[in-house]
Amino acid sequence: MLEFKENIDNVEEFNYLYDAVGWGSYDKEISSKALKNNIYSVSLYDNNQIVGYGRIIGDGYIFLYIQDIMVSPEHQGKHIGTEIMNKLLDKIEEIKKENPDILVYLGASLGKEKFYEKFGFIKREDYGLGPGMILKG
Ligand SMILES: CC(C)(COP(=O)(O)OP(=O)(O)OC[C@H]1O[C@@H](n2cnc3c(N)ncnc32)[C@H](O)[C@@H]1OP(=O)(O)O)[C@@H](O)C(=O)NCCC(=O)NCCS
């Protein structure tokens, strides 16, 4: 049975999914500190086993970022990612009551743009804006 929970932010589950989708995993203490700064998150369980996760980070008033949408490989393609996105977007609608102009960003992994386009996200360049950039590590 699939079950959604809000704001659980269990570090072991987060790192497990990070690893399962091939992103490696962060130091437990780093993940733990990072997740404490979430604005909102959803965790999805199949018979109490974590199978999906997504979170919103940001300042809560001017910028929000959708981050770390992860569905374990054996559960992908079953619209779980869609369910996670819909929950996050519902929360964003709530947050928007305070500032309807709040900007919602995300950084799509290569090849994942089409998934996000289904929810109304567009590439910055299609909006006449420059590319998103990150600091080279
Ligand atoms: C990307 C991801 C979150 C999608 O979750 P999912 O549960 O497999 O996706 P869904 O079943 O909800 O798919 C919803 C729709 O998006 C489409 N879609 C999903 N992944 C896609 C992709 N990589 N490219 C194009 N379309 C994709 C599906 O075909 C589906 O289309 P439909 O509604 O017409 O049937 C999941 O595959 C995942 O966790 N991948 C590894 C981690 C990752 O890359 N996360 C994204 C970080 S930016």
Side-chain angles (χ1 to χ4, degrees):
M1 193 191 74
L2 292 176
E3 187 187 8
F4 273 99
K5 291 185 185 170
E6 298 176 299
N7 302 318
I8 295 294
D9 301 324
N10 177 297
V11 178
E12 281 82 15
E13 293 174 350
F14 179 81
N15 277 350
Y16 165 79
L17 283 177
Y18 236 76
D19 203 28
V21 300
W23 293 343
S25 59
Y26 281 107
D27 175 87
K28 204 174 154 185
E29 204 178 324
I30 294 285
S31 299
S32 170
K33 286 179 177 167
L35 295 181
K36 284 194 175 69
N37 292 325
N38 285 348
I39 288 178
Y40 178 75
S41 73
V42 289
S43 301
L44 182 69
Y45 299 86
D46 183 11
N47 288 318
N48 298 320
Q49 166 66 40
I50 188 84
V51 296
Y53 180 84
R55 62 186 181 132
I56 300 171
I57 60 175
D59 61 25
Y61 293 92
I62 299 175
F63 285 106
L64 297 175
Y65 284 79
I66 288 185
Q67 195 67 39
D68 298 327
I69 308 294
M70 305 183 277
V71 177
S72 65
E74 62 275 22
H75 287 80
Q76 289 174 12
K78 297 176 183 166
H79 292 101
I80 288 175
T82 300
E83 291 294 316
I84 292 169
M85 282 297 292
N86 286 337
K87 294 263 184 227
L88 298 184
L89 292 170
D90 285 350
K91 184 66 183 182
I92 286 168
E93 281 308 307
E94 240 178 73
I95 296 171
K96 269 187 163 178
K97 285 179 190 150
E98 196 128 17
N99 175 14
D101 297 324
I102 197 162
L103 289 169
V104 184
Y105 271 78
L106 61 78
S109 299
L110 266 183
K112 299 289 160 42
E113 299 89 342
K114 287 261 175 290
F115 171 72
Y116 293 113
E117 281 170 8
K118 288 178 183 293
F119 303 96
F121 285 85
I122 59 165
K123 293 179 192 149
R124 279 174 52 93
E125 64 245 46
D126 294 343
Y127 222 46
L129 300 170
M133 299 182 83
I134 55 170
L135 187 61
K136 204 170 164 189

